[in-house]
Amino acid sequence: MSLGRNVFLLCSIQFLLCKAKLSLHSHYPNVAKTLENKKFYVDSPSCKMPEMDPFSADIMRFFKRRQFRECSSDKDLLISEFDSHLRQYRIKIDENSAQQHLKKFGNATLKCEYQVIGRNKKDSFPDNHFSFSKLQPLSQSFLVPKTIDFISTQCHAVHGNIDLKLLQKDAFLFVQDRLNHEHKNTEHHRPDLQSKPNVIILGIDSTSRMNLRRSMPKVHKFLQRPGWFEMQGYNKVGENTLPNLLAILTGNAEENALFNGRFGHSGFIDKLKFIWQLFKKNGYMTAFGEDCAKINTFNYQKPGFKQQPVDFYLRNFIVALETILKTRREFGNVFCLGRKLGFQYVFDFARQFMQRFENSAPVFGIFWSNSFTHEDFLGATALDHVFLEYLTLYDELGFFNRSIVMVLSDHGYRYGVTRQASKSGYLEERLPLMFIHVPPWFRKIYPQYVENLKINQNRLSSGFDLHMTLHHLLHLNATSMADFSPKLQASQCKMCQSLFFQLPANRNCSHAGIREKWCSCEPTETVTNQRLLRKVAQEVVHHMNRHLRDRNLTTLCQNYALKKVLYLDSKISLSEDSVEDEQLHTYIITFETNPSSAHFEATVQWNSEKETLNMNVDELSRLESYEKHSKCTRDPIIKKYCICKEFK
Ligand SMILES: *[C@@H]1O[C@H](CO)[C@@H](O)[C@H](O)[C@H]1NC(C)=O
Ligand SMILES: *[C@@H]1O[C@H](CO)[C@@H](O)[C@H](O)[C@H]1NC(C)=O
Ligand SMILES: *[C@@H]1O[C@H](CO)[C@@H](O)[C@H](O)[C@H]1NC(C)=O
Ligand SMILES: *[C@@H]1O[C@H](CO)[C@@H](O)[C@H](O)[C@H]1NC(C)=O
Ligand SMILES: *[C@@H]1O[C@H](CO)[C@@H](O)[C@H](O)[C@H]1NC(C)=O
């Protein structure tokens, strides 16, 4: 009925799109209808990325908020200050707090000591350990030597030589200004902001754009202030944190190396060309910090860096604190490190780093938090205001006036209730949050770049474009991509480009370096034909079992049996199909297998005439945490799908 007329109307408005739709009409009579009332993050003939309602009923069924619980309620005994005259840190004992703590112990006195934490360069795996000095006395108003980056402290109530009680253990980090200042007590002059702006990346792991809106409304509101731009068509390029961060930092997600296990070789990661090396070469100070040592991007089941990769590197400190302090796990990860949040160490590190070089050097830093979002969206609901407090503090300190800031994530939830519960989980996983801030002076000097950013908000983009944006920030006088040497191009995406230049409207996933598996450009349609559902699912399980045999995994892993099919969605192809392609369909299938009710999602090609299936089993997505099922292997890919025989 009115379907035909609507298609016609759309035709006259968007001729190209209409052609695609008409050619689809024969397989999917509902396609035009499906698309017509939808909103899109990206809406072009070659990419139609559907906009999702973050508050849809199927997700809100599972949604809750959690109250924030402090890590410690007792008053700080020690306070760290920066003496801006001496340009040195000082640790002070808070006398009031000391008196309160000592009240219970008659005429006891306070004895505080510290130990220096560092990186042991001679260790064969320096990322996984730390050096720890002997205990030294900590006097009142202790001036911290400039050679010290990290300390742990302990304060006891003592009576003479008798130790009555350990009152407080704590830890402090110091971003030390080690630049050689030519004249005593005066600072180097920082090169002008216009040619060398600060560049800061603040990462919240596993957070989709939709999840940010649900779980962190306060932070989301902050990110809507003037100067912030949301890249709504930003699509992930790899499975987990490592490939997605590598795309940004090196221009290559290194998926082959990941697959071949080359990241397991000590020293491999040191050889990659990280963008921070170029910032360093251009006179920048560099920093990298991340919480939750066990799951750190470059260290999870990997040896990490042999050489310290940046000027200021938080890793050894966090490893040390997780070893020597009392920790509290919450939301599935180490949440409190002693008296503070793991996240607070990372964001205090960022604050000190930006403050310390404010007048003396440009800075490039990446600060990544895993601790409260990696496993459970509840953590983000509890920390919304804490995160906002940091953004507000950074704002008050003028950081946003001087810096290009990116607040982003690597991907959305890959497993868990939000992923299993709803069809939108497929998009949630693929669309991480991605905001860019440019300061007022930048908006004034580069109005065209700002105009382009605005347009690019609703174009398809990826981490490779962000990589090129970082290159652009190192060459702000470039006026088109032609001004960049070809060797600077992202090696995995030669057509990717700075987000300060207008992205082509007619971009598809291959142009942005995004593989079919992760591509959100094609809207989907639910298939309800039960016979087809069953047929495809059985073929998929058959392929999975054959894969176990082909890879000699049958002694390790159990065979799968289909338990039930949850959804079968068909991707709506936007390109004009050739005749041979007419029978080829891309399906996204979500299903459960026995044993142990494992949930999987696969993107497969189905030939409807021959009823044959093409799939890559290693690309399967697993929709729940598989840690307890996969203890028999260390291979990250096999872990995803192997149900170990010893697991009953
Ligand atoms: C305080 O110290 C004195 C002398 O060392 C001792 O005799 C007295 O018992 C102490 N008082 C308390 C309450 O511990
Ligand atoms: C940031 O810049 C604006 C104008 O460019 C100025 O009004 C404001 O005071 C600055 N904020 C800080 C904290 O320096
Ligand atoms: C940008 O400036 C640098 C250094 O001043 C110069 O080497 C380069 O050629 C300039 N690039 C363009 C495109 O003007
Ligand atoms: C993207 O467009 C190019 C032509 O510009 C085409 O060759 C390619 O197959 C398209 N890729 C996808 C994923 O549609
Ligand atoms: C599996 O084992 C057979 C016999 O032991 C061997 O020939 C083959 O290369 C192995 N395949 C793989 C992928 O390891």
Side-chain angles (χ1 to χ4, degrees):
M1 29 150 278
S2 69
L3 189 68
R5 205 174 73 217
N6 284 336
V7 169
F8 176 76
L9 279 176
L10 270 168
C11 262
S12 50
I13 298 161
Q14 246 173 326
F15 179 64
L16 275 174
L17 169 65
C18 171
K19 264 187 19 191
K21 275 191 187 168
L22 284 179
S23 77
L24 288 164
H25 214 237
S26 54
H27 322 304
Y28 308 109
N30 293 325
V31 164
K33 197 154 196 176
T34 310
L35 296 184
E36 104 199 5
N37 292 321
K38 279 233 168 100
K39 283 191 174 161
F40 298 92
Y41 289 126
V42 178
D43 190 358
S44 81
S46 47
C47 183
K48 298 187 85 57
M49 192 186 279
E51 189 174 313
M52 299 304 303
D53 175 10
F55 305 99
S56 66
D58 61 346
I59 289 198
M60 293 314 279
R61 270 195 301 157
F62 298 90
F63 188 73
K64 292 183 289 240
R65 295 195 165 273
R66 182 71 63 78
Q67 201 69 32
F68 173 63
R69 280 200 303 146
E70 299 272 358
C71 294
S72 134
S73 54
D74 63 339
K75 249 188 120 207
D76 295 343
L77 274 170
L78 301 176
I79 295 162
S80 168
E81 286 177 359
F82 186 70
D83 183 324
S84 52
H85 182 65
L86 293 176
R87 300 197 59 75
Q88 225 169 327
Y89 291 87
R90 212 187 269 287
I91 297 280
K92 286 190 165 163
I93 297 170
D94 183 326
E95 298 289 357
N96 276 336
S97 165
Q99 268 174 22
Q100 270 184 30
H101 275 94
L102 290 173
K103 251 191 323 215
K104 286 180 277 191
F105 303 96
N107 47 13
T109 55
L110 188 71
K111 180 180 158 200
C112 295
E113 294 163 301
Y114 73 95
Q115 282 168 288
V116 180
I117 295 166
R119 179 178 179 89
N120 188 351
K121 286 184 205 149
K122 298 209 183 84
D123 200 303
S124 12
F125 298 102
D127 257 10
N128 294 343
H129 306 107
F130 57 94
S131 63
F132 203 36
S133 78
K134 282 215 218 54
L135 276 169
Q136 326 232 20
L138 188 85
S139 55
Q140 174 57 293
S141 202
F142 168 66
L143 202 56
V144 181
K146 283 199 176 183
T147 50
I148 295 179
D149 296 318
F150 312 116
I151 61 170
S152 69
T153 59
Q154 48 185 44
C155 292
H156 295 255
V158 296
H159 194 239
N161 288 330
I162 306 162
D163 182 358
L164 300 175
K165 191 175 182 218
L166 171 63
L167 297 175
Q168 213 168 75
K169 269 185 150 188
D170 213 338
F172 298 89
L173 66 93
F174 315 105
V175 172
Q176 299 281 11
D177 179 357
R178 298 205 187 87
L179 292 172
N180 273 325
H181 296 290
E182 283 148 22
H183 311 288
K184 241 191 172 156
N185 295 337
T186 63
E187 292 169 350
H188 254 309
H189 261 303
R190 189 199 185 289
D192 68 306
L193 275 172
Q194 271 90 350
S195 60
K196 297 195 174 186
N198 295 332
V199 180
I200 300 294
I201 297 175
L202 302 175
I204 317 175
D205 200 272
S206 305
T207 304
S208 68
R209 233 174 6 257
M210 287 75 101
N211 197 23
L212 176 80
R213 283 161 168 80
R214 270 194 308 273
S215 301
M216 305 185 87
K218 293 187 173 125
V219 169
H220 179 236
K221 186 154 178 245
F222 185 96
L223 299 176
Q224 287 173 303
R225 292 187 184 185
W228 287 94
F229 297 87
E230 183 179 21
M231 298 297 122
Q232 298 175 23
Y234 186 78
N235 194 123
K236 77 166 184 169
V237 298
E239 170 111 35
N240 52 20
T241 316
L242 183 59
N244 285 297
L245 266 190
L246 285 175
I248 298 171
L249 295 172
T250 71
N252 189 336
E254 296 287 358
E255 290 189 298
N256 287 335
L258 278 167
F259 185 73
N260 295 332
R262 267 183 282 153
F263 278 85
H265 303 171
S266 176
F268 174 79
I269 215 158
D270 292 81
K271 294 202 193 89
L272 302 177
K273 300 251 174 294
F274 288 92
I275 192 94
W276 54 55
Q277 295 156 354
L278 286 180
F279 277 95
K280 177 90 197 144
K281 235 173 153 177
N282 277 269
Y284 278 72
M285 299 305 288
T286 58
F288 175 44
E290 203 179 354
D291 57 7
C292 287
K294 289 223 165 52
I295 54 169
N296 276 182
T297 306
F298 301 108
N299 305 86
Y300 177 63
Q301 297 177 337
K302 288 168 205 76
F305 290 98
K306 271 188 97 86
Q307 305 281 332
Q308 177 167 321
V310 286
D311 298 316
F312 296 92
Y313 188 49
L314 198 64
R315 165 100 189 149
N316 298 94
F317 182 54
I318 298 292
V319 171
L321 298 195
E322 289 187 4
T323 315
I324 62 184
L325 292 180
K326 218 168 118 181
T327 61
R328 186 174 95 209
R329 293 182 73 88
E330 209 171 322
F331 310 116
N333 274 306
V334 174
F335 186 68
C336 294
L337 286 178
R339 307 179 61 253
K340 297 172 198 142
L341 295 169
F343 153 75
Q344 278 175 309
Y345 283 105
V346 178
F347 274 55
D348 280 333
F349 179 51
R351 174 185 57 80
Q352 284 192 25
F353 179 62
M354 290 188 263
Q355 277 184 305
R356 206 53 55 236
F357 299 102
E358 186 169 326
N359 300 310
S360 53
V363 295
F364 173 84
I366 165 160
F367 305 94
W368 198 269
S369 173
N370 300 299
S371 56
F372 65 98
T373 52
H374 189 269
E375 302 292 327
D376 189 340
F377 65 83
L378 283 173
T381 66
L383 258 61
D384 189 19
H385 72 285
V386 184
F387 203 99
L388 177 69
E389 276 165 24
Y390 273 101
L391 292 176
T392 309
L393 173 68
Y394 293 172
D395 188 35
E396 284 163 8
L397 292 169
F399 294 168
F400 294 116
N401 272 1
R402 294 189 291 276
S403 316
I404 312 290
V405 181
M406 291 150 200
V407 173
L408 53 80
S409 189
D410 44 358
H411 51 75
Y413 280 113
R414 294 190 290 125
Y415 46 75
V417 286
T418 50
R419 188 70 178 80
Q420 284 171 25
S422 70
K423 276 185 59 183
S424 56
Y426 175 85
L427 286 171
E428 290 242 5
E429 173 178 353
R430 285 158 173 76
L431 306 178
L433 74 99
M434 166 62 196
F435 288 81
I436 300 187
H437 173 266
V438 291
W441 62 263
F442 188 97
R443 309 206 286 271
K444 213 186 241 157
I445 311 181
Y446 301 111
Q448 193 52 54
Y449 290 175
V450 174
E451 207 42 48
N452 293 340
L453 266 184
K454 239 182 237 166
I455 292 168
N456 290 343
Q457 291 189 115
N458 296 98
R459 301 254 157 110
L460 176 66
S461 60
S462 74
F464 301 115
D465 297 313
L466 196 51
H467 180 71
M468 295 316 297
T469 311
L470 295 175
H471 275 297
H472 196 178
L473 288 167
L474 286 166
H475 301 97
L476 271 170
N477 60 353
T479 55
S480 79
M481 287 311 289
D483 289 339
F484 290 86
S485 142
K487 58 176 204 290
L488 295 183
Q489 275 299 340
S491 60
Q492 208 186 320
C493 182
K494 298 290 181 193
M495 290 169 89
C496 284
Q497 59 163 78
S498 162
L499 295 169
F500 297 132
F501 298 135
Q502 200 172 317
L503 292 165
N506 208 353
R507 215 179 189 214
N508 66 22
C509 279
S510 356
H511 300 138
I514 303 159
R515 285 193 289 121
E516 166 86 44
K517 164 86 179 169
W518 308 123
C519 181
S520 313
C521 275
E522 295 169 323
T524 58
E525 258 249 304
T526 300
V527 175
T528 50
N529 177 338
Q530 291 302 313
R531 197 192 78 88
L532 181 60
L533 240 74
R534 198 111 204 123
K535 192 113 202 161
V536 175
Q538 269 158 357
E539 257 327 284
V540 168
V541 171
H542 179 72
H543 268 68
M544 289 165 68
N545 284 328
R546 198 171 68 200
H547 181 82
L548 292 182
R549 288 197 299 277
D550 291 349
R551 290 201 67 183
N552 288 345
L553 292 170
T554 49
T555 46
L556 211 57
C557 317
Q558 310 191 46
N559 257 338
Y560 312 96
L562 181 63
K563 187 176 170 197
K564 74 175 179 223
V565 188
L566 301 172
Y567 313 105
L568 182 68
D569 287 331
S570 175
K571 277 200 176 190
I572 299 172
S573 163
L574 297 174
S575 59
E576 244 185 299
D577 291 337
S578 61
V579 184
E580 310 90 78
D581 292 344
E582 292 250 319
Q583 282 82 39
L584 271 189
H585 306 277
T586 302
Y587 289 136
I588 301 153
I589 181 165
T590 314
F591 57 102
E592 265 180 65
T593 59
N594 276 327
S596 70
S597 299
H599 285 74
F600 292 99
E601 181 195 88
T603 304
V604 302
Q605 269 71 45
W606 176 256
N607 185 315
S608 55
E609 195 181 54
K610 299 185 189 136
E611 300 205 323
T612 52
L613 179 103
N614 197 349
M615 76 178 282
N616 180 348
V617 173
D618 286 325
E619 276 196 350
L620 273 173
S621 296
R622 179 75 175 274
L623 305 187
E624 65 252 307
S625 171
Y626 40 83
E627 200 179 334
K628 62 177 192 277
H629 299 147
S630 62
K631 292 207 160 82
C632 57
T633 172
R634 285 178 59 88
D635 184 310
I637 309 244
I638 298 173
K639 261 183 179 298
K640 215 168 43 174
Y641 54 77
C642 183
I643 315 290
C644 293
K645 285 221 158 139
E646 67 242 43
F647 185 86
K648 290 285 181 258

